Amino acid sequence: MITAAAVLVCLVLGALAVFQAFLVLGAPLGRFAWGGQHRVLPVALRIGSVVSIVIYALIAGVVLARADLVSPGVSEAILRTATWVVTGYFFLGIGLNLASRSRPERAVMTPTVALLCALCAVVALG
């Protein structure tokens, strides 16, 4: 169950990374991200999308390490704490996406982040 949850987290994060890459490249998908105020993101938000991709990669590493699918080189205690921090990050993300003024962002990103939160909790409890 933990392995499946970790793999699903990585698949969803991969899809989100592709989405963010499209935003970086100027795709008119801004209504689904960053509050939905821009159809095509300005430079500052494109940089934010690049940072998001890096964060997704770090999160994937934490989740894969906690599921024992990669060797992280850090203690189990640090890994356990990091996994709960990631779970909390996604939990906060649920509220932030619910508060978005963008209906498309609320409709797509809220359930996506809720799924990531639940899956990360499964991994964290494992």
Side-chain angles (χ1 to χ4, degrees):
M1 177 95 155
I2 295 162
T3 299
V7 169
L8 283 172
V9 166
C10 291
L11 288 173
V12 174
L13 289 174
L16 286 173
V18 169
F19 167 72
Q20 293 289 351
F22 279 131
L23 291 173
V24 169
L25 296 172
L29 299 169
R31 68 183 179 277
F32 294 100
W34 302 110
Q37 298 168 349
H38 305 279
R39 189 170 158 264
V40 175
L41 297 184
V43 171
L45 292 179
R46 290 181 191 200
I47 292 169
S49 287
V50 170
V51 172
S52 292
I53 293 168
V54 172
I55 291 170
Y56 297 157
L58 292 172
I59 290 171
V62 166
V63 169
L64 289 172
R66 179 70 174 121
D68 233 2
L69 297 172
V70 298
S71 179
V74 297
S75 74
E76 182 63 28
I78 291 172
L79 198 52
R80 192 175 322 114
T81 301
T83 309
W84 281 112
V85 168
V86 166
T87 304
Y89 171 81
F90 286 128
F91 184 76
L92 289 173
I94 295 168
L96 292 172
N97 281 292
L98 280 172
S100 175
R101 293 182 188 164
S102 167
R103 178 176 279 161
E105 184 177 20
R106 283 193 314 269
V108 174
M109 293 304 179
T110 302
T112 302
V113 174
L115 174 64
L116 285 167
C117 182
L119 291 169
C120 285
V122 168
V123 174
L125 290 168

